[in-house]
Amino acid sequence: MPAPPPPPPPPRRDFPAFPFAPYPIQSEFMSFLYGALSSGPGALALLESPTGTGKTLSIICSALQWLGDHRDAAARGSTTAAAAGGGGEGDGDEPDWMRDFTPLPPEKPTAKKGRPPAAAARSKAPRRAAAGSEKPEGSEEAEDEEFLVEEYESDGEVCVRREAGKRPHRGGGSSSESEADGEEEEEEEVTPKVFFTSRTHSQLSQFVGELKKTEFGWRLRTVCLGSRKNLCINKDVLKLGSANRINERCLELQKSKKSSKTKVEGDNRKVCQSKTSCGCPMIRKRGLQKEFKSEVSEQGALDIEDLAQLGKKIGTCPYYGARDMVRTADLVVLPYQSLLLKSARESLGLNLKNSVVIIDEAHNLADSLTSMYNSKITSSQLNAILSHLEAYLNRFQSVLGAGNRRYIQTLTVLTRSFLRVLTSNQDDACTMTSMTINQFLFSLDIDNINIVKLCQYVKESNIIHKVSGYANKLNINQDGVNHLSHQQQYDEGSSIASFQTLADFLRSLLNCNDNGRIIVARKKFSGQPEDAYLKFVMLCAEKIILEITCDAYAVILAGGTLQPIEETRLRLFPNLPPSDIKFFTCNHIVPPESILPIAVTRGPSGKAFDFSYSSRSSHTMIEELGRFLCNVVTTVPEGVVMFFASYEYERFVYDAWAASGMISKISKKKHVFREPKNSVDVEMTLNKYKEAIQSCSKSSQDTGVTGALLLAVVGGKISEGINFSDGMGRCVVMVGLPYPSPSDVELTETIKYIENISKPVLVGGDNSSSSKYDDECKLQPGFDILRKCNKGGREYYENLCMKAVNQSIGRAIRHANDYAAMLLVDSRYAHTSSNRSSSSPTDKLPQWIKTRLACAQNYGEDSGGSSFTY
């Protein structure tokens, strides 16, 4: 009989690892989280704590305290069971021979999947025979042989997959420079462990910074996973720039087992020598990887930047070094993509069994999950793929095996079909249609193709690299000059990237019919600058999160603004009754008098503010907003952050103010900065903004400039994850209600889907998923869709807007002694539920802001007795 599970740890109110005296709401948060984890396997909890309340530190101290207590309880249970067992006697009805039985280790595959060793050994012989006699070295046939894909047969084969939790391939392998370490023993998996995930690398670095403040930073073994772009230290790969190029080059280096050219300096000249090597030079020496892991274990919690620096110091790859440490880690810190995407979990070898998964910044988790599974391919990519496939077939058709030839021809047929549907636009007015997966397959007459096996072939045969390599060779002129740089070979429009995009789109077609929609964006006959494209839009987040909740011991969703909870439940856990989801929320740690939220309905001249789409671009509205901002920057010291609905609208307003001289007036009081669209430049802009504020505070000269103004964008980098504490954000101005455009195709499809699943279940009636939208292929205008919605779809649309507002204005308050004003500039913020058919925007504000919200009907009047001075 197996030992009984350990008793749950008793409820806790004390968390000794918390480095300060916790506020009451922090103690309540930690106790609630600890209790949720102690409630047993399958626990699901949502914890909402406003930005700036110490949420991250509370998560660390409660979750890791539970982990330690749980392991202690398990160890005590094991000791008790061993003592009661009397040294192994009394094992029930299990006979001695069964207890002593040691199963044989599984046989290691010695050849390609589906082929016996003999066939594998003979695999190259038929190729040469078919091509004729042995070709002399240097001939075209010999040079092209490297692009010939190995023989492949999938019929009747048994699929061999790495099980979850098994160590993934780490790259490298044996070479002339490898150290003969022999076969390493498989390290034992540490369970349970805690997986913490957040949206961005900067948020993960903040988490590790908070972890270092506690004893868990050195007591527990922590590993931080990042992308290749953030952790790669190979200069030749890193200079490629984009993540896509870096990923492709890294994988190609590991698969390469040919001679490579290296520059050797000697006798005052540089000579190119060739040597045999395998993989990236940063992962050849296993001894350095061991040294890296040892250093990480000794130094304690390290963030992504720390790991990259350590890898450079030792001279070994921190990306694969960190991956190798996952099995023995107590705490794994990783970005959304690495944990929430199934293919990424399999690639990293993550085993969620019996572990705790904590998902931070979960306010838009359902949309984040579905967007990861979207896929898009353009007509230019399809044309490139088709030309490369045809060239490859023309060159190698006579020497390809039957299996390879069949699959490559199938890829060619599919590519032609996809192009045909994008170019056959009989109705010039209708350029965009939406359909289910089945409708798409039947309309192209490709429903008889086995896409499962085709995807398996693309994944296992290395056909992408073979065809792409041959295509790149064709781009080299007869003079031997390669006109494609490394950057061009691996950018988003390259052959290898195009093929990967096609593979992603094909995998999308394996989803259930109701889980997503295919968007067909055709090109008008009159011409348009944008490429025609096919896009799969994932709509069902439930099955994605279910893969995680089924494996994990407990799943915790945390964030600053998780409400409305019903929408989260409906999209992620529709089959769970509300009572099964534990929910915690709290007020802010700042006293009420430290915030001043005001709904500003009118400007200085008395004109009502209306920033709806039809009115926001009017000259008078922009002028009125400028006059209002001049008053704000005159009154408010230090930093002011103003949020606009989009980059385009921010640019439109700024240009209008610059032309009218308004920017010059504002600049007399504040240095003006604008959020760059390129995320790479955001940090530099923020640093300049901060320096401008600090220089004004320290300057003894009275120049009249009292700080800085930052013009930002809702949904941009600055609105999420950036802290504007103290003087960085004494006032936050929200211009209008940032509703997303109803004309967005993906948004309308999501609204229709949510409207369908939010319908009440009919007892004894037809509860099928079909709806008034299902059979409509031509896309309707977004406003028509919203008008058809009863509640669910419209509620989702409004929630998108107010979640964005809450994320933006919550940036200003970061600690108990902070203070700031929050100005909501639009007359619609003054509307109440009683005079609207739907809920009021202010109903969806966080409780700690809503209770203090004041509304001034006229500009400059007392807003309800609020007292607030700078």
Side-chain angles (χ1 to χ4, degrees):
M1 293 289 291
R12 288 190 76 116
R13 294 290 300 177
D14 64 308
F15 295 90
F18 204 86
F20 320 106
Y23 292 103
I25 61 170
Q26 292 171 334
S27 294
E28 292 169 11
F29 183 103
M30 290 187 285
S31 294
F32 185 92
L33 176 53
Y34 190 96
L37 295 175
S38 300
S39 63
L44 175 64
L46 281 67
L47 288 88
E48 180 183 70
S49 183
T51 301
T53 54
K55 168 173 60 71
T56 302
L57 200 54
S58 300
I59 289 173
I60 291 169
C61 293
S62 55
L64 299 184
Q65 183 68 57
W66 175 88
L67 181 67
D69 293 349
H70 183 81
R71 287 179 175 175
D72 290 344
R76 288 194 300 270
S78 299
T79 304
T80 304
E89 294 180 2
D91 287 341
D93 298 327
E94 186 176 358
D96 293 340
W97 66 267
M98 185 175 288
R99 286 199 308 271
D100 297 336
F101 174 72
T102 303
L104 292 173
E107 291 184 10
K108 294 183 179 180
T110 57
K112 278 283 181 182
K113 170 170 115 53
R115 287 163 29 203
R122 296 192 304 266
S123 61
K124 294 185 180 180
R127 230 190 267 158
R128 292 187 178 274
S133 60
E134 189 84 15
K135 300 297 184 296
E137 186 177 350
S139 68
E140 182 180 356
E141 289 81 356
E143 290 177 358
D144 287 351
E145 189 170 356
E146 67 174 291
F147 303 116
L148 186 57
V149 66
E150 291 186 21
E151 292 201 24
Y152 183 93
E153 290 293 341
S154 67
D155 294 335
E157 67 188 357
V158 179
C159 188
V160 178
R161 298 181 185 275
R162 186 178 67 250
E163 296 178 5
K166 297 295 183 185
R167 178 173 301 188
H169 174 63
R170 293 174 294 190
S174 60
S175 74
S176 59
E177 296 186 6
S178 295
E179 296 179 2
D181 292 334
E183 192 73 23
E184 290 186 31
E185 291 185 6
E186 186 86 347
E187 293 177 291
E188 186 177 351
E189 178 89 29
V190 172
T191 57
K193 62 180 66 178
V194 173
F195 290 89
F196 177 90
T197 183
S198 195
R199 293 161 61 88
T200 65
H201 284 95
S202 62
Q203 289 165 346
L204 296 179
S205 293
Q206 291 174 15
F207 175 88
V208 175
E210 294 293 293
L211 178 65
K212 290 178 180 178
K213 297 177 182 177
T214 73
E215 63 185 59
F216 296 120
W218 53 267
R219 269 184 53 192
L220 297 182
R221 192 171 188 183
T222 302
V223 61
C224 194
L225 300 182
S227 65
R228 286 181 174 87
K229 184 176 182 180
N230 288 86
L231 288 173
C232 178
I233 60 170
N234 185 328
K235 293 180 180 179
D236 290 336
V237 176
L238 202 56
K239 69 183 180 183
L240 296 174
S242 77
N244 188 65
R245 299 167 190 150
I246 291 170
N247 289 339
E248 292 294 346
R249 184 58 178 156
C250 175
L251 294 174
E252 187 184 72
L253 279 173
Q254 293 179 58
K255 291 180 180 179
S256 173
K257 295 186 180 180
K258 303 180 340 83
S259 61
S260 59
K261 292 185 178 180
T262 57
K263 291 181 179 179
V264 180
E265 295 187 13
D267 299 329
N268 298 322
R269 62 193 180 93
K270 290 185 178 181
V271 185
C272 282
Q273 286 187 350
S274 62
K275 64 178 180 179
T276 302
S277 62
C278 178
C280 174
M282 297 301 168
I283 49 178
R284 283 185 195 146
K285 297 185 178 181
R286 302 303 305 162
L288 295 182
Q289 287 275 290
K290 288 182 178 180
E291 182 183 346
F292 175 84
K293 290 189 285 185
S294 176
E295 281 284 329
V296 172
S297 300
E298 289 178 8
Q299 293 188 29
L302 299 178
D303 63 18
I304 295 167
E305 289 76 17
D306 297 331
L307 291 173
Q309 289 300 320
L310 181 60
K312 289 177 183 176
K313 176 184 172 183
I314 297 175
T316 191
C317 178
Y319 175 78
Y320 281 103
R323 280 177 54 161
D324 276 357
M325 297 182 67
V326 170
R327 288 183 61 83
T328 57
D330 304 300
L331 171 63
V332 182
V333 183
L334 68 174
Y336 267 17
Q337 288 278 132
S338 300
L339 180 77
L340 303 179
L341 198 61
K342 183 178 180 180
S343 59
R345 290 198 303 274
E346 291 176 347
S347 174
L348 294 169
L350 300 184
N351 181 12
L352 304 184
K353 288 284 186 184
N354 302 320
S355 290
V356 173
V357 174
I358 301 175
I359 304 174
D360 197 17
E361 299 295 326
H363 52 280
N364 283 327
L365 179 60
D367 288 331
S368 297
L369 286 171
T370 54
S371 66
M372 291 179 195
Y373 287 81
N374 290 353
S375 59
K376 176 182 175 182
I377 189 164
T378 65
S379 57
S380 60
Q381 289 175 318
L382 288 168
N383 277 314
I385 291 169
L386 183 60
S387 65
H388 295 157
L389 284 172
E390 289 175 339
Y392 189 84
L393 266 179
N394 288 338
R395 172 65 187 85
F396 296 107
Q397 187 160 12
S398 61
V399 292
L400 285 172
N404 280 313
R405 188 164 57 247
R406 180 173 67 252
Y407 282 118
I408 295 172
Q409 288 171 341
T410 304
L411 282 171
T412 306
V413 169
L414 281 176
T415 306
R416 284 202 189 101
S417 298
F418 294 160
L419 276 169
R420 189 166 58 249
V421 76
L422 289 177
T423 54
S424 61
N425 188 9
Q426 298 175 355
D427 181 4
D428 191 47
C430 178
T431 60
M432 202 167 285
T433 55
S434 164
M435 57 187 78
T436 65
I437 296 174
N438 286 346
Q439 287 171 335
F440 177 73
L441 295 176
F442 283 121
S443 67
L444 269 63
D445 198 24
I446 56 174
D447 55 293
N448 59 334
I449 293 177
N450 190 332
I451 297 179
V452 174
K453 283 195 172 183
L454 185 62
C455 289
Q456 184 178 312
Y457 170 75
V458 171
K459 180 180 178 181
E460 297 173 354
S461 66
N462 203 27
I463 186 64
I464 289 179
H465 288 83
K466 295 294 185 180
V467 176
S468 300
Y470 184 67
N472 287 338
K473 185 208 170 192
L474 294 180
N475 282 291
I476 301 176
N477 287 348
Q478 291 182 350
D479 58 6
V481 178
N482 186 354
H483 294 279
L484 287 178
S485 65
H486 269 314
Q487 181 166 323
Q488 289 173 314
Q489 289 179 33
Y490 297 99
D491 68 9
E492 283 72 7
S494 71
S495 173
I496 198 165
S498 297
F499 269 101
Q500 191 57 58
T501 302
L502 176 63
D504 292 341
F505 186 75
L506 290 175
R507 278 195 297 271
S508 299
L509 300 179
L510 301 179
N511 283 287
C512 295
N513 190 51
D514 295 332
N515 286 1
R517 304 281 283 194
I518 303 290
I519 308 297
V520 182
R522 298 178 177 87
K523 202 164 189 174
K524 287 185 177 181
F525 289 132
S526 54
Q528 60 185 26
E530 298 87 4
D531 249 347
Y533 64 84
L534 297 171
K535 183 167 187 177
F536 172 77
V537 180
M538 175 65 88
L539 300 174
C540 178
E542 174 198 356
K543 293 180 180 177
I544 303 173
I545 195 69
L546 193 63
E547 295 172 347
I548 296 171
T549 55
C550 285
D551 278 351
Y553 179 88
V555 174
I556 307 297
L557 309 186
T561 50
L562 293 183
Q563 299 193 60
I565 296 301
E566 179 55 23
E567 181 194 306
T568 302
R569 187 196 68 81
L570 183 68
R571 297 194 64 192
L572 295 177
F573 316 105
N575 296 319
L576 276 182
S579 58
D580 285 0
I581 302 175
K582 302 172 179 63
F583 178 65
F584 172 88
T585 187
C586 62
N587 283 321
H588 213 293
I589 55 177
V590 296
E593 59 271 16
S594 293
I595 62 170
L596 180 61
I598 302 177
V600 182
T601 61
R602 295 180 182 274
S605 66
K607 183 173 180 59
F609 280 129
D610 179 11
F611 292 97
S612 59
Y613 187 78
S614 58
S615 305
R616 67 181 187 178
S617 298
S618 70
H619 179 71
T620 55
M621 192 62 56
I622 293 175
E623 269 195 343
E624 190 76 352
L625 181 63
R627 284 191 288 268
F628 166 73
L629 184 58
C630 281
N631 290 346
V632 170
V633 298
T634 301
T635 307
V636 178
E638 301 181 289
V640 177
V641 185
M642 181 177 240
F643 285 101
F644 294 87
S646 66
Y647 288 101
E648 291 72 20
Y649 187 55
E650 183 274 336
R651 183 172 60 250
F652 182 83
V653 172
Y654 181 87
D655 291 345
W657 285 348
S660 66
M662 194 70 69
I663 290 294
S664 298
K665 293 180 182 179
I666 294 171
S667 298
K668 293 178 181 179
K669 289 294 181 182
K670 303 285 184 187
H671 297 290
V672 179
F673 298 90
R674 302 170 65 191
E675 177 177 355
K677 202 166 186 177
N678 186 351
S679 59
V680 177
D681 301 325
V682 169
E683 187 173 353
M684 182 175 65
T685 301
L686 286 172
N687 288 335
K688 290 181 178 179
Y689 170 72
K690 185 176 182 179
E691 289 168 4
I693 295 170
Q694 291 173 343
S695 64
C696 291
S697 302
K698 296 175 182 177
S699 177
S700 58
Q701 299 178 355
D702 186 11
T703 60
V705 180
T706 61
L709 167 69
L710 177 59
L711 305 179
V713 176
V714 174
K717 286 284 185 181
I718 287 176
S719 68
E720 295 208 22
I722 304 298
N723 302 332
F724 292 101
S725 60
D726 301 321
M728 289 274 285
R730 289 302 179 206
C731 179
V732 178
V733 183
M734 174 60 63
V735 180
L737 285 158
Y739 285 107
S741 171
S743 61
D744 182 85
V745 179
E746 296 177 43
L747 176 63
T748 56
E749 290 300 322
T750 304
I751 289 172
K752 292 191 296 186
Y753 176 79
I754 292 174
E755 180 70 10
N756 286 343
I757 64 174
S758 62
K759 289 178 180 177
V761 178
L762 303 176
V763 179
D766 181 11
N767 292 312
S768 63
S769 61
S770 62
S771 74
K772 55 191 170 185
Y773 304 114
D774 284 348
D775 295 324
E776 297 175 6
C777 279
K778 290 186 179 181
L779 289 178
Q780 305 168 52
F783 287 110
D784 291 346
I785 297 291
L786 286 171
R787 277 193 288 268
K788 284 185 178 183
C789 292
N790 296 321
K791 184 179 179 182
R794 186 182 294 127
E795 188 80 7
Y796 167 73
Y797 184 66
E798 293 175 356
N799 290 340
L800 278 178
C801 170
M802 289 310 298
K803 282 181 179 180
V805 170
N806 295 338
Q807 280 294 116
S808 300
I809 63 178
R811 299 290 101 200
I813 301 293
R814 304 304 305 172
H815 56 84
N817 298 320
D818 210 350
Y819 61 92
M822 304 165 186
L823 308 180
L824 308 176
V825 185
D826 199 300
S827 58
R828 290 173 290 176
Y829 283 111
H831 293 162
T832 60
S833 302
S834 58
N835 59 14
R836 281 169 54 94
S837 58
S838 57
S839 60
S840 167
T842 55
D843 290 343
K844 300 179 186 298
L845 288 170
Q847 191 67 26
W848 63 280
I849 295 178
K850 185 164 53 177
T851 54
R852 290 284 294 170
L853 181 68
C855 178
Q857 295 300 325
N858 296 303
Y859 186 80
E861 74 176 14
D862 188 354
S863 54
S866 299
S867 59
F868 189 88
T869 56
Y870 283 104

